[in-house]
Every structure is written in C-alpha cells, then in structure tokens.
Amino acid sequence: MTAPDILVIGSGIGGATLAAALAPSGRRILILERGEPLRDSPEARDPAAIFGRGHFRPAEMWLDAEGREFSPGNYYNPGGNSKFYGAVLMRYRAEDFAPLRHIEGRTPGWPIAYADLERYYSEAEALYNVRGALDHDPTEPPHSAPYPFPPVPDEPPVALLRRKLAEQGLHPGPLPLGVDIVQWLKGGATTWDAFPNTRGGKMDAESCALARALEYPNVTLLTGARVTRLQAEGRRVTAVDYIREGKAGTISAPLVCLAAGAVMSSALLLASADAANPGGLANRSDQVGRNFMNHNLSAVIGISPFRRNDCIYEKTIQLNDWYLTGGPGGEPLGNIQMLGRITGPILAGESGLPLPLARWIADHSVHLMAMSEDLPKPESRVIWRDGRVVLKWERSNWKAHAALVAKIKAALRRGGWPVVLAKAFEKRTPSHQCGTARMGHDPHSSVVDPMLRAHDLDNLYLCDASVLPTSAAVNPSLTIAALALRTGQHLNERSLP
C-alpha cells in the first residue's frame, strides 16, 4: 500500500465530508473505515426487523457509569451513523455560538461565530442536496444561498397539523431534509427515519460526501480496518495501528484526521496512552472524553380517535417558537420536529404493546419529537477502562425540556388531539453524541483549536461531533459537515506538517 499524505479515520459525516473537501487537492488520501458497506436485504424496509429484533444493531456493548452493559446502537459502516439518521440537516442558530443563559446553567459559547461558518453551511447544504425553505422560521439565521431544493411535501395529516399549530399563532415550517422522496419511496413505502439507506433516496455521508471523494483517483477507502491506537513522539502522531481481517497493521501519514465519532474518537485517544502521555493523546488539558452531550429528547404522540393518520413518511415540519425563549425567565427551551411515521409494528417493537393496540394508536395519532439542549459538564464523560468504552452521561437542563414537552402537549390538545403521551428517549442511547474533544483557544480547557487541530499534536486534526463546544437544540449533522468543509479548505491552503 502506498503511504498516504493524509489519513482519515472514519467515514461518517465528519470524515467523509472532510475527504470530499480534500480530494481536489491531489494529495493521496486514505480513509480507514472499521465497518463494511451495508448491503440491501428484505430487513432494510422491515420495521419489525429494525425496531423489534434489532436486526442491524451492532453486537458491541458499552458500560454505563454503574458498570452495566448496554447496546449503544453505534453503527460502523461507510457513512457511519448517518446511514440510519433522520436526514435532518439544520443549521445551528446564530445565537447558539454565543453564551446563552438556560434554566439550569449557561453555555460557554464557541471560539467562532455563526458568520465564520455560514458559507460552509451553504456548501454543506449543496453537498447533501438539502430540501428546505426560508422565511418560515423566526429563528432561522442568515443564509447566503437558498436551499438547493424545495421542501419535501407535507402529507395531508401533516398539513392539518401544520394548520392547527399556525391557528394558535405558532410558526410551523418545513424541516430541512436530505431526502429525495421520490427515489426513497421507490425502495418501499416507509419513512426513512431509523431505516438504513440501502436503496437510495437518503442523502447520507456515504451517498453524498464519500461518493464525491471517491470520484478522485487519489482517494482510497479501506473497509474492515479497525483502528486500535495512535502512536506519537513529541508533537507528532507517527503511526496508526489497526486490525483488518484478523491481522495487525500499522500505517503512517504526515497528517492524521480522526473522525470516528464523539465517543469513539475520544475513546481512541484515551486508549493511545503511553509513558509520555499517561492520560491519553491530545489530553494535556484532561478534557478528552469530558463534556459529553447527547440532547434531551422525548417522543410526543397526539392521539385523536376522530382523525386517521395515513401518512407514509410524515417527518416534514418543525417548530422553533420556543427555541430561544419560553422559560419562566425567557430562557431557551428547544426545537420541536416530527418523527418519522410511527407504524403499528414500530410502536409495538419500541413499547411492547400488543400489535392490534399499537396499530390503532399509530393510525390515530401524530408523532413529534421534543429536543432540548444538553449543557456541557466535565463530569459527563467517556472513559476507557480495560479495553472497553464506559459512558457516564449526566443529564442537564431537564427543567427546560419538561417545559418544552408541556408546551407542545398543550398545543396538540388545543389543536384537536385530546390524548397526548410523551416518553423520554433512553438515557443510554447516544444518538446525537457530541462534545468530548471540544474546540477552543485555550489549550488548558479545550482539546482542539478553532481549525480543529489538536493543541498538543501538530499533525492531528479531529473532525466529528467531538469538537462541538455545545449541543444547541438541533440535529448536529449539518454543523459537523460545515466544520469539516471549513477545515478541509484550511488544510488545502497549507503545506503538510
């Protein structure tokens, strides 16, 4: 194997987008991905297989703070977790980059402003073919370019929900989505949320960014290569150890970009401890693994026996009236967006309800998700212990989330859904994991600088959700992609270290 100029570890949103940005440079780029491509199968559109039997969930087990095993649902394949994501590609609001007062604390702010990232948001929306519309949302930040495509159309029950919310003076608007709905539905009449993208139509890291990168002959993807350790001497990563097909290998490159995801990137740095770095690589600040954030999430279901839901995909609107205000002192509460269509088999698999009852509830309800910011706390962290990931997540800002859930429940009741149920997402499911190697100017309180280079190592960059200083209250994928494009431009303009 020819030695690469740049080694990218991981092919999720961060790694794949970075590779797409670097590909035109002509430098030899090698992407190491621990998983294999997802293959199509009947289970790919079978809700009972996905939600009931967990057909696609990896066998990997992590430990919680009490030492109990749990299945995190962290996917390893080209495209990473985005193969299963809800394809929501939203921008952070401009206010999210500054310190914000919340009910239970204050966010620290970012070392960059929204204006520093705006052009890369537009580039990311173009790369991921985002469907959306402006002028619906009072919190929408400035855009230098329109969305590339118009919104995914509302189905009739969703149009009714939108109208009933608007009649209350609220501002429901299109949810920015990376979905070609015509192409998606050719593969089966299901929603895309939590379904693997094996038949096309969903704009994930593999189908968009990785495909773009691999159009260039200087880019190579090596699958089935699980990185186990980074070796370092002084201020340089000198080698990367990996296992492929049961055999150990080592590879070096002048530049190493770690993009394995917020949990696994920090775990890998901690697992790379040596005599000179007993606390792990890039960890002079003791911040690697700390400040884990995961959003406070609840499913909210509005039920009416007099309204039938015959949607196929459903997930097309959002509500941000309480994003920047709504708390008792005007504090932010969060985002409301639709879940993908919950069907009887999905509800039965998730709740354990008998299938006939689950079908009736699913077919007479609308399905939303409340999302509130999880504030960074050093005690909330990823730990590497005896070769295993330990995830210690301490929720924060729950009062704001409870207030947000109460507001949308009241709005649904006023809109004609008299029975409203809410259920918090499990604490041990890191679906929006971020924050474990946050960016900042100060090497004593952050892991990477604003261009995502590790403070302690001159040739190591981190390019995934680990670098986010705050979680905001929106899905992180587009922000990860925008940061990757910004870092890619930075690297294209400089010589290799």
Side-chain angles (χ1 to χ4, degrees):
M1 182 188 302
T2 302
D5 300 311
I6 302 174
L7 186 62
V8 179
I9 302 170
S11 65
I13 290 282
T17 306
L18 179 65
L22 295 172
S25 71
R27 293 165 169 167
R28 297 185 302 274
I29 300 164
L30 175 63
I31 307 167
L32 296 181
E33 168 54 53
R34 68 182 283 178
E36 299 291 351
L38 279 174
R39 305 299 182 189
D40 192 25
S41 65
E43 289 82 5
R45 292 298 182 96
D46 181 351
I50 295 168
F51 296 92
R53 302 196 301 274
H55 178 81
F56 291 96
R57 291 181 77 90
E60 179 183 43
M61 301 294 284
W62 295 351
L63 299 174
D64 66 14
E66 287 72 42
R68 297 171 299 199
E69 286 190 331
F70 69 97
S71 171
N74 210 50
Y75 295 97
Y76 305 105
N77 38 256
N81 288 330
S82 75
K83 296 300 294 184
F84 292 82
Y85 78 154
V88 176
L89 292 161
M90 285 182 66
R91 300 182 180 208
Y92 272 28
R93 278 33 200 159
E95 294 83 353
D96 287 321
F97 291 82
L100 276 176
R101 180 177 58 87
H102 291 261
I103 293 176
E104 297 181 42
R106 188 177 182 86
T107 56
W110 286 47
I112 62 174
Y114 173 79
D116 298 317
L117 203 55
E118 194 285 326
R119 60 166 287 195
Y120 303 102
Y121 271 130
S122 291
E123 291 178 13
E125 286 163 349
L127 178 61
Y128 284 90
N129 300 317
V130 180
R131 274 76 174 161
L134 300 174
D135 303 324
H136 291 268
D137 182 351
T139 72
E140 187 72 45
H143 283 232
S144 59
Y147 283 109
F149 296 93
V152 177
D154 295 340
E155 295 166 287
V158 177
L160 173 64
L161 172 63
R162 186 200 287 246
R163 187 170 74 250
K164 291 298 182 181
L165 293 173
E167 287 172 356
Q168 300 175 44
L170 301 172
H171 300 82
L175 190 59
L177 295 168
V179 177
D180 179 340
I181 192 60
V182 174
Q183 182 63 34
W184 178 265
L185 293 178
K186 286 180 181 178
T190 70
T191 186
W192 57 85
D193 201 354
F195 283 74
N197 185 27
T198 60
R199 300 176 188 177
K202 183 156 62 172
M203 309 303 157
D204 60 46
E206 180 190 32
S207 63
C208 291
L210 188 59
R212 174 77 60 83
L214 292 175
E215 291 174 359
Y216 291 81
N218 53 302
V219 180
T220 302
L221 172 68
L222 188 66
T223 60
R226 182 172 65 86
V227 173
T228 58
R229 184 179 181 84
L230 307 184
Q231 299 181 37
E233 292 183 11
R235 292 189 57 85
R236 295 185 60 82
V237 174
T238 56
V240 172
D241 298 340
Y242 66 93
I243 296 174
R244 186 169 189 260
E245 297 178 347
K247 298 178 181 178
T250 299
I251 193 163
S252 299
L255 189 67
V256 177
C257 301
L258 179 55
V263 171
M264 295 311 299
S265 283
S266 58
L268 184 55
L269 291 174
L270 294 172
S272 300
D274 57 26
N277 303 278
L281 291 190
N283 198 26
R284 178 163 47 110
S285 62
D286 189 35
Q287 293 299 302
V288 171
R290 294 188 182 275
N291 303 298
F292 174 83
M293 297 168 284
N294 195 37
H295 283 146
N296 295 311
L297 302 169
S298 289
V300 182
I301 298 178
I303 304 170
S304 172
F306 309 109
R307 292 175 177 167
R308 185 168 181 83
N309 184 350
D310 59 358
C311 289
I312 296 174
Y313 51 87
E314 195 173 18
K315 189 183 180 80
T316 54
I317 67 171
Q318 64 168 329
L319 190 70
N320 286 317
D321 290 74
W322 307 301
Y323 191 90
L324 296 173
T325 188
E331 300 92 345
L333 297 184
N335 165 267
I336 301 292
Q337 59 183 254
M338 299 207 77
L339 290 165
R341 170 70 155 97
I342 294 178
T343 62
I346 293 174
L347 185 58
E350 290 287 306
S351 68
L353 289 172
L355 183 57
L357 176 59
R359 284 190 191 279
W360 188 92
I361 292 174
D363 292 345
H364 292 84
S365 57
V366 291
H367 316 113
L368 297 96
M369 180 175 71
M371 176 160 43
S372 302
E373 183 154 4
D374 183 25
L375 308 181
K377 297 173 60 178
E379 301 80 14
S380 191
R381 62 188 300 194
V382 174
I383 300 168
W384 184 254
R385 182 183 298 157
D386 299 327
R388 301 188 70 178
V389 170
V390 180
L391 182 60
K392 181 185 178 184
W393 179 32
E394 298 186 6
R395 283 191 192 273
S396 67
N397 207 32
W398 189 255
K399 289 181 181 177
H401 186 65
L404 179 64
V405 170
K407 284 186 177 293
I408 190 58
K409 288 173 76 172
L412 286 172
R413 292 191 187 101
R414 287 193 296 267
W417 287 270
V419 179
V420 185
L421 307 175
K423 184 178 186 299
F425 282 33
E426 285 189 16
K427 187 177 175 182
R428 298 186 294 178
T429 302
S431 51
H432 289 174
Q433 55 184 270
C434 60
T436 59
R438 65 179 176 184
M439 71 167 81
H441 292 294
D442 184 357
H444 297 98
S445 60
S446 60
V447 178
V448 300
D449 68 19
M451 282 301 178
L452 310 190
R453 182 182 66 83
H455 288 301
D456 300 352
L457 294 158
D458 295 331
N459 68 332
L460 176 66
Y461 284 74
L462 273 74
C463 204
D464 55 29
S466 65
V467 304
L468 303 183
T470 62
S471 68
V474 300
N475 313 60
S477 296
L478 190 72
T479 298
I480 298 166
L483 286 169
L485 292 172
R486 181 173 180 264
T487 296
Q489 179 182 353
H490 167 72
L491 293 174
N492 284 339
E493 293 172 350
R494 61 168 293 189
S495 301
L496 291 177

